[in-house]
Amino acid sequence: MVTNTECQDAGRKSPAGVALVLALLPAMIGLIAVIAPRSAQAGEPARSPSRTAVPGVGGLIALRPDGSVFATVSGGMVRQWNTATGRWFGKPVSGLGGTVHAIEFSSDGRQLAVADDGGVSLWDPATGQPAGPPLTGHVGPVRSVVFSSTGRMATAGDDGTVRLWDPVTGRLLHTATGRPGGVRSVVFSRDGRRLAAAGTDNTVRLWEADTLRPVGETLTVRPGPVNAISFSPDGRLLAVSGGNDVVRFWSPATGEPAGAPIVAGSGPVYALTFSRGRKLLATSSGGDHTVRLWNTVTRSPAGAPLVGHTAPVRALRFGPNGRLLATGSDDGTVRLWDTDTGIPEGAPLTGHRGQVWSLRITRDGGRLITAGADDRVRLWSIPPRNPAGAGRPGRPPARSWSQAGAQHEQAAADEFR
């Protein structure tokens, strides 16, 4: 489930600067150090140890908007974790209705939505208690839940409906029906004005987010399935990819095609994402396992393909300012890239035993969270890129440590819809 008016830095212009950065980076980004827990004081609950990996099934990650907490699913419960330490945070959410398909924090972080086989429920993350009765209406599993920046919540599932809710009161506001199949995912534009949904019938539909009034005609993706949909940060583009190598763009304002499509290398395009800080779009090429960067204004490549993965890339995420891109692949690795130069930042991040399905980067760019087929969610530290006295933005040498049983091992690794 992005060039730019910014000046290129001195390191990109100077071969010596690039060489210096490459010499410094490989040991830099690593698993967060494991810290022994202090003893609990009288009357204080015992604290869990810091962790570099936590349980998490289905590749599901929900990151609280402030970046301080993330949630995963395991053992039939939703658990929360401190992003700085990897320790348990708050109370687990239990009593769910079967397999969990999606979890999401509200935009203010005060609610946690869980979509499962039994429907949708809202929870208080601080207490682990329900924040009202279950939201009824869907028939069958609910596959997707998302909050808007304006305080609305949308859900979609196997019954082919998309539903809009007031999450504070739990009141159903509007329902969109008419799909012959289920709905796999829904996404709001960043300004909360538009809502898009990808269906199992190889279509994408677009609505006004306040009313669920359709915008334009249904968008058919040929060949299917719909692999990825994403709004640009300014809300002016909706990008869609399917079963081939073409990424198409529509205007969220009108539902009409918005300029020429791009051919993103050897398809299918399994993932795409826009950069918030720059006019860049990243796409994955399933045929040749590369990732490509595109100037969204000119629709031209913003550099050479990013080469290194040995299997399809299914997860992409930019850092906050768009200068760092994280990629997760079926080869079990995560890689970090400098989007100015296309150069890998350090060695591949290893640890997952199987496909990497999802990534998150915290708002301050200091933590990367990854999840995949091995039912583990890993937490990685990303040091600042501008250490004092370092000249060109880079990362100073440092050790990183991971825990293996009761022993610590030095790790030479770096580590995130």
Side-chain angles (χ1 to χ4, degrees), residues 20 25 32 75 97 103 115 123 135 163-164 212 217 238 244 249 273 277 284 299 353 393 398 400 413 416:
L20 174 60
L25 285 174
I32 297 174
I103 52 177
W123 302 81
L135 308 183
R163 296 172 184 266
L164 187 70
L212 286 192
E217 300 296 323
L238 175 67
N244 60 9
F249 301 91
T273 187
S284 70
R299 308 284 167 89
R353 298 180 179 179
S400 56
F416 168 32

Side-chain angles (χ1 to χ4, degrees), residues 34-170:
V34 177
I35 305 169
R38 64 175 178 85
S39 298
Q41 303 299 315
E44 178 186 18
R47 299 176 69 190
S48 64
S50 295
R51 298 166 179 242
T52 57
V54 302
V57 302
L60 297 176
I61 308 169
L63 181 62
R64 203 164 77 179
D66 65 6
S68 64
V69 174
F70 67 97
T72 66
V73 178
S74 64
M77 296 185 288
V78 177
R79 303 173 188 267
Q80 298 177 80
W81 311 90
N82 184 298
T83 316
T85 66
R87 291 190 178 100
W88 293 311
F89 179 87
K91 302 292 184 180
V93 170
S94 59
L96 304 175
T99 301
V100 176
H101 302 290
I103 52 177
E104 188 76 11
F105 282 100
S106 62
S107 56
D108 61 7
R110 296 180 179 178
Q111 290 180 303
L112 178 65
V114 180
D116 56 31
D117 285 345
V120 184
S121 52
L122 289 168
W123 302 81
D124 182 339
T127 66
Q129 297 301 307
L135 308 183
T136 59
H138 282 288
V139 178
V142 177
R143 301 288 176 178
S144 184
V145 59
V146 63
F147 288 90
S148 75
S149 59
T150 57
R152 294 290 186 252
M153 185 182 76
T155 59
D158 287 2
D159 61 2
T161 68
V162 172
R163 296 172 184 266
L164 187 70
W165 310 83
D166 179 340
V168 175
T169 65

